[in-house]
Amino acid sequence: MVLKDGTEMHLTTMEFELLLFLASHPGQVFTLEELMHKVWDYITPVECSTVTVHIRRLREKVEGSPGRPTYIKTVWGTGYKFEG
């Protein structure tokens, strides 16, 4: 269960898995390929826009201002990390 300001957030299974993975490794930067492998369990290269779409949707649900995220940060040219 994920709470935001005391209210339960309804996340898809993959959104939850992505948030859980990032939050379990605070401050650590993961590339799109690493996230595809570690969260989606893809070993062969596939379209990584899946990660980008899930990050965007997750931010819309958990961030106060998705355009200026507090928790799920983009590390330009590298990937994403969780701060909190």
Side-chain angles (χ1 to χ4, degrees), residues 5-47:
D5 299 326
T7 302
E8 183 177 352
M9 304 274 55
H10 296 284
L11 304 179
T12 66
T13 300
M14 290 314 299
E15 290 168 346
F16 179 81
E17 293 295 326
L18 179 59
L19 180 60
L20 178 63
F21 179 80
L22 289 171
S24 296
H25 302 87
Q28 189 172 347
V29 179
F30 294 95
T31 66
L32 297 175
E33 292 81 11
E34 288 173 321
L35 291 171
M36 289 296 294
H37 174 67
K38 294 177 185 293
V39 177
W40 278 262
D41 202 27
Y42 289 128
I43 297 172
T44 57
V46 294
E47 180 59 48

Side-chain angles (χ1 to χ4, degrees), residues 41-67:
D41 202 27
Y42 289 128
I43 297 172
T44 57
V46 294
E47 180 59 48
C48 290
S49 63
T50 298
V51 175
T52 306
V53 169
H54 278 81
I55 291 284
R56 179 179 49 82
R57 290 181 181 161
L58 189 55
R59 282 178 174 161
E60 288 172 356
K61 292 179 179 181
V62 302
E63 298 283 0
S65 177

